[in-house]
Amino acid sequence: MHFNRYQQAAIKTLQPAAPDADPVMVPLLGLTGEVGSLATAYKKHLRDGPGMASGKHLLREELGDVLWYVAALAHRFDLDLEDVAAASLVKINDWWLTTPTADRVFFDATFPQAEQLPRQATLTFTLQQRDRDGRSVAVLTHNGKACGDPLTDSSHIDDDYRFHDVFHLAHAAVLGWSPVTRFLLRCKRKSDPRIDEAEDGGRAIAIEEGISALVFAYAARHGYFENVRHIDHEFLKTIATMTSHLEVSVLRAADWEQAIMTGYAAWRQLRANAGGTLHLDLNQQTLTIE
C-alpha cells in the first residue's frame, strides 16, 4: 500500500477534535502512548522468546498503531505522508551514506593540472624546536619545499594543534575540497577569477580554518575520536550551514564525517610519533601515515 492511500484511509477514522481543543493534541499524545506500548510489546517479546507467535503479532499491531497516529499527525499538520517519507529518506541518506563513487565529482576536473588538487601526493610533518621561546613547531613539506608557515599550537596548553593541517589534507582527500590545501600546495584556480575569489579565496580559507578549530574543540571533549564512530548530526549540520554557499555543499553529512574521522586518525598518529610522512590519495579517498 502507498503512503498516500494509507493516509487517506487512516484519516477517515480520525475523530473530530472537541470544541476549543487543539486538534493536534490527541493524536500527538496518542503517538506518545503507542510508542510506550511498542516498548512494552518488545519487552514481552524478549521475555517470552522470539518463538512466541503472539509476541510478533503484538509488535505488528503496535507498529500499526504508531503508523496510524503518524498519518493522523501528518494530516493535522497539513503534510503529505508520502512527502514526509521521501524527505526522511533523503535526510537519512545524507546522515548515514557517503556519496556513491559513481556520483562523486572532482570540483577542479575542468581546470589545468597545475590548478588541480594532486590526486596523489606525499607530504611530511616534522617537529622542530624554536630557539627563541623553546616551543616546538610543526613544519609541513611537499617535494622538499615548505608548505605554509611553521605552526605552533597557538594556545596556552600543549595540545598538538600544530599538526592541524592534516585536517585540511583529509578534507582534500575525502571531499576533494580544501581551500587551505590549495593555498599550501599552490594550486588555486587562478585561471577563473570568480572561482579563485569565491571558492579558493580568503573567505573560503577562513571558513575551513573555522571548521578545523570548531571540530578540534568538539573532538577534545570526545577523546579526539579514538573510540568514537559517529559525530552528532546537529554538529554536522553546523558545518553544512557554514559551507552552504560553497561548492562542497553538494556533499553529504556522511562525507564530512568520513573526512573528519580520516583526519583525526592521521592526526593521532602524527601526535604519537611527533610527526611523520603522509600519503594522500584523492582517488581512493585515503590518508595514510608511515
Side-chain angles (χ1 to χ4, degrees):
M1 176 176 285
H2 295 293
F3 278 121
N4 279 341
R5 290 176 56 193
Y6 177 84
Q7 184 178 16
Q8 292 304 315
I11 61 176
K12 289 179 180 179
T13 59
L14 179 61
Q15 301 302 302
D20 300 323
D22 182 355
V24 169
M25 190 56 67
V26 169
L28 182 60
L29 293 176
L31 176 62
T32 304
E34 290 302 334
V35 170
S37 297
L38 177 61
T40 299
Y42 187 62
K43 180 264 294 183
K44 294 179 180 178
H45 178 74
L46 292 176
R47 181 193 65 191
D48 301 334
M52 291 290 291
S54 59
K56 188 172 183 179
H57 175 79
L58 185 58
L59 288 170
R60 176 173 174 266
E61 179 180 338
E62 297 298 345
L63 280 171
D65 291 343
V66 168
L67 184 59
W68 186 92
Y69 278 111
V70 169
L73 280 172
H75 172 71
R76 290 301 193 199
F77 292 137
D78 195 25
L79 292 171
D80 184 278
L81 192 58
E82 190 101 16
D83 180 62
V84 170
S88 175
L89 286 179
V90 171
K91 175 182 175 181
I92 295 304
N93 285 340
D94 179 73
W95 282 0
W96 297 111
L97 297 178
T98 57
T99 301
T101 302
D103 296 335
R104 188 177 175 227
V105 297
F106 288 106
F107 299 115
D108 56 12
T110 61
F111 285 81
Q113 187 173 0
E115 297 183 1
Q116 295 181 7
L117 289 167
R119 302 312 187 235
Q120 294 183 336
T122 299
L123 305 99
T124 301
F125 284 90
T126 306
L127 272 188
Q128 298 178 1
Q129 290 298 121
R130 176 180 287 180
D131 295 335
R132 180 165 56 87
D133 50 25
R135 290 182 299 173
S136 295
V137 297
V139 177
L140 176 63
T141 57
H142 176 235
N143 294 335
K145 297 180 180 180
C147 302
D149 298 323
L151 298 178
T152 68
D153 288 330
S154 299
S155 173
H156 293 296
I157 61 174
D158 184 11
D159 57 8
D160 286 308
Y161 193 70
R162 53 183 166 249
F163 291 123
H164 84 275
D165 279 340
V166 74
F167 305 142
H168 304 307
L169 295 172
H171 296 164
V174 177
L175 306 174
W177 173 88
S178 173
V180 174
T181 299
R182 289 191 183 280
F183 170 77
L184 294 174
L185 300 185
R186 303 174 181 86
C187 55
K188 295 177 66 177
R189 291 166 285 184
K190 294 184 178 181
S191 61
D192 187 331
R194 292 178 301 174
I195 294 295
D196 183 39
E197 179 183 7
E199 297 289 350
D200 302 344
R203 181 178 176 183
I205 288 173
I207 287 172
E208 189 185 4
E209 289 286 12
I211 290 171
S212 174
L214 182 68
V215 175
F216 194 81
Y218 176 91
R221 301 193 303 272
H222 296 83
Y224 298 109
F225 303 134
E226 187 167 10
N227 296 304
V228 173
R229 295 179 58 193
H230 295 293
I231 299 172
D232 291 341
H233 290 133
E234 288 302 316
F235 188 82
L236 294 173
K237 285 172 65 176
T238 298
I239 295 177
T241 300
M242 293 175 68
T243 59
S244 61
H245 65 289
L246 298 170
E247 59 192 359
V248 73
S249 63
V250 300
L251 298 182
R252 303 177 179 182
D255 297 317
W256 270 103
E257 184 177 70
Q258 180 185 347
I260 291 169
M261 292 303 186
T262 297
Y264 274 83
W267 177 84
R268 291 194 301 270
Q269 294 181 65
L270 291 171
R271 188 186 201 193
N273 298 311
T277 298
L278 175 149
H279 301 287
L280 177 150
D281 191 326
L282 267 69
N283 295 317
Q284 299 298 321
Q285 296 179 280
T286 58
L287 200 63
T288 55
I289 302 287
E290 286 186 2

